[in-house]
Amino acid sequence: MAATPRGISRSLLPSAKTRAAIAKRMAAVSGEMTTAAVSEMESRHAWFSELDAKHRSWITLVAQAGIDGFVQWFANPEPERPSTADVFGSAPRELARRISLYQTVELVRTTIEVAENQIDELMPRGDRAVLQAAMMQYSREVAFTAAEIYARAAELRGAWDARLEALVADAVIRGETDETVLSRASALGWRSSANVVVVVGPEPAEEPTVAIESIRHECAKAGLDMLGAVQGDRLVVVLGGGEIAAPDVALRMVERFADTFGAGPIVIGPPVDHLAEATRSTRAALSGYRAAAAWPDAPRPVRADDLLPERALSGDGHARRALARDIYAPLAAAGSGLLETLIVFLDHGASVEATARSLFVHANTVRYRLKRISEVTGHSPTDARDAYVLRLALTLGRLLPTDGRQTS
């Protein structure tokens, strides 16, 4: 015995001959139903009118296929669960990329509502009840089919995007950010033309795809572009746009998704001006990530520039030159006894009084010079961590050339 379609009461289900006659009458007005549906789409949905003629014609084909498919299913002598794959098969796959799932649902809803209204207006009174019940079942199947199409498209796109994103991240790490890589990043939605920061941390404990999407969600809320990929045992995240280059902005942003990384240090590279220059931020972040074990109490996340001593001792030439150039050289150029005061202060165990006696100056003079040292270098000699940075900068400043000269 043939199965009764859900949504139609057995008492309302007519014979196959009667259904065929009803379907024939409905087929005669299907063109009017399609025209009415498209007209309603234009008046109800502003975005529909903004589509070009080609995409509007494809949607018309889908609406017509949906109505014709219902007529054929209803007329079937052995009614079964409706198959609506052919409804969307009448339009190219490109249509699924041109209109969103939400817009598709709106089109299906509009078409069904118009068809139901047209049944009341164009069909004989005796046909209406069974057609309305059948339409309810058929429209549900159409909705499920639309959801399946978009789900498959999302899975395929997601897998492709993940591979493409991994390629872009790998190119950034290896310093091969050419026009091809920039084009690929653009295809992934990268819009930023300035301000880029690279973050390196341990690979997440959860599924990498889920972790990356979680980070992407946080970045989207902040209006930032984001690329990410797992490289070996580490997760590399590239952030761009907004005020990411402003002081502390990148730090606060990474704090929002720090728990997504696995256990271990998270290092933020210095900001650069463009994705094409991201290799500089990547190099510093990777160097800091390797050297972070030497500072167990480092904050999480931590800036790569805050790990300059550890990076220098682990063999990073860029870090050594940065300490000599950005700390030692400004002190030497500032004069006023700042460099000498720092050396004596550190050699005398950070004692203001001992430093004053050694320099034959008043203790307040030493305090003033220590304040000036902090202003010039950004590091306070009275802080234990900053004193360590300054001590290493003094050593490297004596060994390495700064501003093209060999320092004494």
Side-chain angles (χ1 to χ4, degrees):
M1 180 177 177
T4 301
R6 294 179 182 177
I8 305 179
S9 170
R10 287 182 180 274
S11 62
L12 291 176
L13 184 65
S15 65
K17 182 178 180 180
T18 302
R19 290 201 309 276
I22 294 174
K24 184 176 181 180
R25 288 193 289 273
M26 187 169 178
V29 297
S30 63
E32 297 177 51
M33 289 185 174
T34 302
T35 301
V38 174
S39 177
E40 183 66 17
M41 292 175 194
E42 292 177 346
S43 62
R44 186 182 298 186
H45 309 297
W47 57 264
F48 180 83
S49 300
E50 297 173 359
L51 296 173
D52 55 41
K54 179 175 69 174
H55 289 92
R56 286 200 301 272
S57 68
W58 287 344
I59 292 175
T60 301
L61 286 175
V62 171
Q64 181 67 63
I67 294 173
D68 290 345
F70 170 75
V71 172
Q72 294 171 10
W73 167 71
F74 187 80
N76 193 327
E78 299 293 334
E80 298 177 351
R81 180 180 178 182
S83 174
T84 56
D86 291 339
V87 173
F88 295 95
S90 60
R93 184 174 300 176
E94 180 184 343
L95 186 61
R97 296 193 294 267
R98 183 63 179 84
I99 65 174
S100 67
L101 176 58
Y102 172 78
Q103 291 170 334
T104 301
V105 170
E106 288 296 301
L107 295 181
V108 171
R109 179 182 290 117
T110 301
T111 301
I112 297 302
E113 289 178 359
V114 170
E116 290 175 341
N117 292 334
Q118 291 291 300
I119 287 173
D120 287 339
E121 294 178 9
L122 302 178
M123 299 299 293
R125 185 179 300 275
D127 297 347
R128 296 172 188 173
V130 68
L131 284 174
Q132 294 284 7
M135 182 65 73
M136 182 184 301
Q137 169 67 8
Y138 189 78
S139 63
R140 190 183 79 164
E141 298 301 328
V142 170
F144 285 156
T145 299
E148 289 172 2
I149 289 173
Y150 277 88
R152 287 196 298 269
E155 288 176 355
L156 291 174
R157 178 59 187 254
W160 169 248
D161 283 356
R163 289 193 294 270
L164 187 60
E165 191 167 10
L167 288 173
V168 172
D170 184 64
V172 169
I173 290 173
R174 290 187 285 110
E176 299 176 358
T177 316
D178 55 16
E179 289 299 325
T180 300
V181 173
L182 295 178
S183 177
R184 289 173 175 171
S186 178
L188 290 168
W190 185 274
R191 303 177 304 277
S192 302
S193 58
N195 301 334
V196 175
V197 165
V198 177
V199 184
V200 177
E203 64 174 325
E206 61 182 319
E207 171 64 33
T209 302
V210 176
I212 291 172
E213 287 306 312
S214 174
I215 296 173
R216 197 187 315 281
H217 178 67
E218 288 295 329
C219 293
K221 291 194 295 185
L224 297 176
D225 290 336
M226 176 267 180
L227 297 170
V230 172
Q231 299 279 331
D233 60 353
R234 64 199 178 207
L235 172 59
V236 179
V237 176
V238 185
L239 305 177
E243 300 296 324
I244 198 68
D248 295 335
V249 172
L251 191 65
R252 291 195 299 270
M253 184 67 232
V254 177
E255 286 174 347
R256 291 169 59 175
F257 56 78
D259 291 341
T260 306
F261 289 86
I266 302 172
V267 183
I268 305 171
V272 294
D273 293 335
H274 194 273
L275 185 61
E277 303 171 5
T279 182
R280 291 196 290 113
S281 185
T282 304
R283 182 176 59 231
L286 288 173
S287 172
Y289 183 68
R290 290 190 294 267
W295 186 15
D297 295 329
R300 186 177 189 267
V302 61
R303 297 183 186 87
D305 287 348
D306 291 337
L307 288 163
L308 283 176
E310 289 75 18
R311 291 168 53 195
L313 292 173
S314 68
D316 185 343
H318 295 282
R320 291 197 298 268
R321 287 187 289 274
L323 286 167
R325 180 188 65 244
D326 300 334
I327 296 179
Y328 182 87
L331 277 178
S336 302
L338 297 187
L339 185 59
E340 180 186 11
T341 299
L342 176 61
I343 294 171
V344 175
F345 181 76
L346 295 177
D347 287 346
H348 284 76
S351 170
V352 172
E353 289 73 16
T355 302
R357 288 194 298 270
S358 178
L359 294 175
F360 301 102
V361 298
H362 194 277
N364 285 342
T365 301
V366 174
R367 293 188 181 94
Y368 170 76
R369 291 179 181 177
L370 294 178
K371 181 181 178 182
R372 285 285 298 134
I373 291 170
S374 179
E375 294 171 349
V376 170
T377 66
H379 297 276
S380 172
T382 59
D383 177 84
R385 172 68 188 180
D386 285 356
Y388 173 59
V389 175
L390 291 167
R391 171 70 78 181
L392 193 57
L394 289 176
T395 302
L396 291 169
R398 293 169 177 142
L399 296 174
L400 301 176
T402 58
D403 297 330
R405 302 187 305 273
Q406 184 70 36
T407 59
S408 58

